[in-house]
Structure formats: C-alpha cells, structure tokens
Amino acid sequence: MSFGKMNTTIDIMEQRKVLDDDGFSSMEDVTVASVRAYREGRHGSERWANMAAFSEATDLFRFRVIPGLTITTAMTLVCGGERFQITSVEAAKGRGMYLEVMAKAVNSSSG
C-alpha cells in the first residue's frame, strides 16, 4: 500500500464521558486520531462477493497501525462528512503494519 493510494483523511472517534462545570456527565464524541486512509466503497467486484459474511459493511478502510491505539468496534469513523460504524478490524496481510477496517454507513435521522 503506497501513500499515493491513501489519499482520504479520516477521523477516528470514540465516545467518552465528559463532566461539565456542574458535575453532570454526558457522552461526547472525541477524536482520538486523524489519519490518511485508503477507502473502497462496496461494489460488485469478486472481492466484495467473497466477503458475504460482512454483508452489512458498506466501505473498507485501510490505514497504518497507530502505535499505542487499539481500534475497536466501539469506535466510529468520520470521512468526508459521513459517519461509519466499525463492524470489524483486522491486520492487513498479517504483517502488523496496516489495518483493514470494515464499516457501515450510519444514516442520521433529520428532524
């Protein structure tokens, strides 16, 4: 994977409890990292057909491992104003240099 293909910036978000001045806690999205990634949307290729187990995933993201940060399914990704819920995380090609994250688009209800 070259940096030329990783041309999309993504924010990795995590929900954390935050206390306000009065001592009340609330959940807030906190950006834990902003990285460059390769994004591949779901399409009719043979690769996506072979990943039938991840039928709810709409996008694949590939990016470098971030030292000291463990990416989990409890986190969300923000890319180009869209939010994605992480459905699976695995090491790409087993070398420990890159992560492959399968995610599904989250449609927010307006109104």
Side-chain angles (χ1 to χ4, degrees), residues 1 38 40-54 59-62 90-93 99-102:
M1 179 70 46
Y38 168 73
E40 180 180 309
R42 185 179 191 137
H43 51 347
S45 71
E46 183 177 335
R47 176 178 167 82
W48 279 95
N50 290 335
M51 293 189 289
F54 299 108
D59 289 85
L60 166 81
F61 293 91
R62 240 184 243 126
E90 65 181 57
K93 305 201 186 218
L99 290 177
E100 272 190 357
V101 174
M102 300 295 288

Side-chain angles (χ1 to χ4, degrees), residues 47-107:
R47 176 178 167 82
W48 279 95
N50 290 335
M51 293 189 289
F54 299 108
S55 61
E56 65 182 1
T58 59
D59 289 85
L60 166 81
F61 293 91
R62 240 184 243 126
F63 52 89
R64 283 193 174 270
V65 170
I66 303 164
L69 180 64
T70 303
I71 307 298
T72 65
T73 56
M75 297 176 172
T76 58
L77 302 176
V78 177
C79 177
E82 293 181 85
R83 293 181 70 87
F84 296 89
Q85 180 64 44
I86 297 175
T87 58
S88 75
V89 180
E90 65 181 57
K93 305 201 186 218
R95 294 186 183 159
M97 292 178 57
Y98 296 94
L99 290 177
E100 272 190 357
V101 174
M102 300 295 288
K104 65 177 179 176
V106 177
N107 298 326

